[in-house]
Protein backbone atom coordinates (compact mmCIF):
# COMPACT_ATOMS: atom_id res chain seq x y z
CA UNK A 1 0.00 0.00 0.00
CA UNK A 2 1.30 3.45 -0.86
CA UNK A 3 0.95 6.35 1.50
CA UNK A 4 0.52 10.08 1.20
CA UNK A 5 2.88 11.84 3.59
CA UNK A 6 2.87 15.44 4.81
CA UNK A 7 6.02 16.85 6.38
CA UNK A 8 8.02 19.92 7.27
CA UNK A 9 11.72 20.03 6.49
CA UNK A 10 14.88 22.05 6.81
CA UNK A 11 17.53 21.32 4.20
CA UNK A 12 21.23 21.87 4.90
CA UNK A 13 24.41 21.36 2.93
CA UNK A 14 27.39 19.48 4.41
CA UNK A 15 28.71 22.67 6.05
CA UNK A 16 25.41 23.07 7.91
CA UNK A 17 24.20 26.05 5.92
CA UNK A 18 20.41 26.15 5.51
CA UNK A 19 19.54 25.89 1.81
CA UNK A 20 15.79 25.69 2.11
CA UNK A 21 13.07 25.15 4.68
CA UNK A 22 9.30 24.74 4.73
CA UNK A 23 9.20 26.31 8.18
CA UNK A 24 6.82 29.26 8.14
CA UNK A 25 5.23 28.10 4.89
CA UNK A 26 2.98 25.21 3.89
CA UNK A 27 4.30 21.72 4.58
CA UNK A 28 5.05 19.36 1.68
CA UNK A 29 2.58 16.62 0.77
CA UNK A 30 3.60 13.82 -1.59
CA UNK A 31 2.60 10.38 -2.82
CA UNK A 32 5.27 7.78 -2.07
CA UNK A 33 7.23 6.62 -5.09
CA UNK A 34 5.68 9.16 -7.46
CA UNK A 35 8.76 11.32 -7.98
CA UNK A 36 7.20 14.30 -6.19
CA UNK A 37 10.22 14.67 -3.91
CA UNK A 38 13.82 13.60 -4.53
CA UNK A 39 14.23 9.82 -4.70
CA UNK A 40 16.65 9.44 -1.81
CA UNK A 41 14.37 11.29 0.59
CA UNK A 42 11.28 9.40 -0.58
CA UNK A 43 13.08 6.06 -0.01
CA UNK A 44 14.37 6.95 3.44
CA UNK A 45 11.05 8.27 4.73
CA UNK A 46 9.21 4.99 3.99
CA UNK A 47 7.51 3.74 7.10
CA UNK A 48 8.09 6.91 9.12
CA UNK A 49 5.28 7.53 11.59
CA UNK A 50 3.20 10.68 11.98
CA UNK A 51 4.68 12.87 14.71
CA UNK A 52 8.21 11.52 14.28
CA UNK A 53 11.25 13.67 13.67
CA UNK A 54 14.17 12.31 11.74
CA UNK A 55 17.40 13.41 10.07
CA UNK A 56 17.96 12.04 6.59
CA UNK A 57 21.15 12.42 4.58
CA UNK A 58 20.77 11.99 0.84
CA UNK A 59 23.94 11.60 -1.19
CA UNK A 60 24.20 13.79 -4.28
CA UNK A 61 23.68 10.83 -6.62
CA UNK A 62 20.22 10.26 -5.09
CA UNK A 63 19.41 13.96 -4.93
CA UNK A 64 20.28 16.31 -7.81
CA UNK A 65 22.98 14.05 -9.26
CA UNK A 66 26.72 14.32 -9.50
CA UNK A 67 28.25 17.29 -11.25
CA UNK A 68 28.87 16.61 -14.94
CA UNK A 69 31.73 18.58 -16.46
CA UNK A 70 30.16 18.08 -19.90
CA UNK A 71 27.39 20.41 -18.69
CA UNK A 72 29.83 23.31 -18.57
CA UNK A 73 30.08 25.03 -21.94
CA UNK A 74 31.93 28.01 -23.33
CA UNK A 75 29.80 30.26 -25.47
CA UNK A 76 29.98 33.74 -26.94
CA UNK A 77 28.61 36.46 -24.69
CA UNK A 78 26.47 37.70 -27.62
CA UNK A 79 24.61 34.36 -27.71
CA UNK A 80 23.22 34.89 -24.23
CA UNK A 81 19.69 36.27 -24.14
CA UNK A 82 20.61 38.45 -21.16
CA UNK A 83 20.91 42.21 -21.14
CA UNK A 84 23.32 44.14 -18.97
CA UNK A 85 26.36 43.17 -17.00
CA UNK A 86 27.15 39.56 -16.12
CA UNK A 87 28.74 38.37 -12.91
CA UNK A 88 30.19 35.00 -11.97
CA UNK A 89 27.51 33.21 -9.96
CA UNK A 90 24.58 34.84 -11.78
CA UNK A 91 21.80 32.37 -12.50
CA UNK A 92 19.07 32.58 -15.07
CA UNK A 93 16.61 30.36 -16.88
CA UNK A 94 17.35 29.28 -20.42
CA UNK A 95 13.78 29.97 -21.49
CA UNK A 96 10.75 31.92 -20.31
CA UNK A 97 9.10 28.62 -19.29
CA UNK A 98 9.05 28.48 -15.49
CA UNK A 99 10.40 24.91 -15.60
CA UNK A 100 13.23 25.70 -17.99
CA UNK A 101 16.65 24.64 -16.70
CA UNK A 102 18.64 27.09 -14.59
CA UNK A 103 22.19 27.83 -15.71
CA UNK A 104 24.93 29.51 -13.74
CA UNK A 105 27.69 31.80 -15.01
CA UNK A 106 30.80 29.86 -14.00
CA UNK A 107 33.32 32.24 -15.56
CA UNK A 108 33.78 35.20 -17.86
CA UNK A 109 36.70 35.36 -20.26
CA UNK A 110 36.72 38.33 -22.59
CA UNK A 111 33.76 38.00 -24.94
CA UNK A 112 33.20 34.39 -23.89
CA UNK A 113 31.22 33.02 -20.99
CA UNK A 114 31.42 29.67 -19.19
CA UNK A 115 27.88 28.43 -18.62
CA UNK A 116 27.26 25.69 -16.08
CA UNK A 117 24.00 23.82 -16.72
CA UNK A 118 24.40 21.53 -13.72
CA UNK A 119 21.65 21.92 -11.15
CA UNK A 120 22.91 24.33 -8.46
CA UNK A 121 22.70 21.42 -5.96
CA UNK A 122 24.39 18.85 -8.22
CA UNK A 123 27.27 17.19 -6.38
CA UNK A 124 25.97 18.34 -2.98
CA UNK A 125 25.07 15.82 -0.27
CA UNK A 126 21.86 17.01 1.38
CA UNK A 127 20.76 16.69 4.99
CA UNK A 128 17.07 17.03 5.76
CA UNK A 129 15.66 17.50 9.24
CA UNK A 130 12.15 16.20 8.77
CA UNK A 131 9.05 16.33 10.95
CA UNK A 132 6.33 13.98 9.75
CA UNK A 133 2.95 15.66 10.25
CA UNK A 134 0.66 13.01 8.83
CA UNK A 135 0.64 9.71 6.98
CA UNK A 136 -2.49 8.31 5.34
CA UNK A 137 -3.37 5.75 2.68
CA UNK A 138 -3.38 7.10 -0.87
CA UNK A 139 -6.82 7.35 -2.50
CA UNK A 140 -7.71 5.61 -5.77
CA UNK A 141 -7.66 8.95 -7.56
CA UNK A 142 -4.19 9.79 -6.25
CA UNK A 143 -2.83 6.40 -7.33
CA UNK A 144 -4.27 6.79 -10.83
CA UNK A 145 -3.08 10.41 -11.16
CA UNK A 146 0.37 9.63 -9.74
CA UNK A 147 0.42 12.50 -7.24
CA UNK A 148 -0.95 13.53 -3.87
CA UNK A 149 -4.09 15.65 -3.65
CA UNK A 150 -3.10 17.66 -0.62
CA UNK A 151 -2.85 16.80 3.04
CA UNK A 152 -6.61 16.15 3.30
CA UNK A 153 -6.90 14.23 0.03
CA UNK A 154 -9.20 16.64 -1.80
CA UNK A 155 -9.37 16.02 -5.55
CA UNK A 156 -7.35 18.07 -8.00
CA UNK A 157 -8.63 20.07 -10.97
ZN1 LIG B 1 -4.78 14.54 -9.43
Amino acid sequence: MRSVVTFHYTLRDPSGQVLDTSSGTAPVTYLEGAGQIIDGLDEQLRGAAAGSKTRVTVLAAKAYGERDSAQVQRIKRAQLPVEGELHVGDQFQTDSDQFAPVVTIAGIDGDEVLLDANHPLAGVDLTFDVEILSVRAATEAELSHGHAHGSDGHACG
Side-chain angles (χ1 to χ4, degrees):
M1 187 187 74
R2 286 163 74 190
S3 296
V4 169
V5 180
T6 299
F7 68 100
H8 269 304
Y9 70 93
T10 295
L11 168 60
R12 291 183 176 84
D13 71 10
S15 73
Q17 186 188 349
V18 174
L19 300 174
D20 193 14
T21 179
S22 65
S23 178
T25 64
V28 176
T29 296
Y30 71 98
L31 171 64
E32 284 178 347
Q36 290 191 271
I37 61 172
I38 61 173
D39 291 349
L41 185 58
D42 190 320
E43 288 168 12
Q44 293 188 63
L45 290 181
R46 296 292 165 87
S52 64
K53 292 183 179 182
T54 183
R55 173 168 285 187
V56 172
T57 296
V58 181
L59 298 180
K62 288 263 186 180
Y64 293 97
E66 302 291 357
R67 286 186 56 77
D68 176 5
S69 57
Q71 296 289 315
V72 180
Q73 292 188 359
R74 180 179 287 270
I75 69 163
K76 292 284 185 201
R77 168 68 181 90
Q79 289 178 270
L80 279 182
V82 178
E83 304 287 334
E85 226 180 308
L86 291 178
H87 301 95
V88 172
D90 283 354
Q91 296 184 333
F92 55 89
Q93 288 188 303
T94 51
D95 200 347
S96 55
D97 187 308
Q98 67 165 317
F99 298 111
V102 172
V103 296
T104 305
I105 305 284
I108 299 170
D109 182 11
D111 65 347
E112 293 185 325
V113 172
L114 276 181
L115 271 193
D116 185 352
N118 285 288
H119 188 282
L121 292 179
V124 179
D125 297 337
L126 304 177
T127 298
F128 293 87
D129 283 308
V130 172
E131 179 180 7
I132 305 290
L133 302 180
S134 71
V135 180
R136 62 171 173 77
T139 65
E140 290 288 327
E142 286 171 325
L143 292 172
S144 72
H145 292 188
H147 56 229
H149 284 164
S151 55
D152 57 0
H154 66 80
C156 67

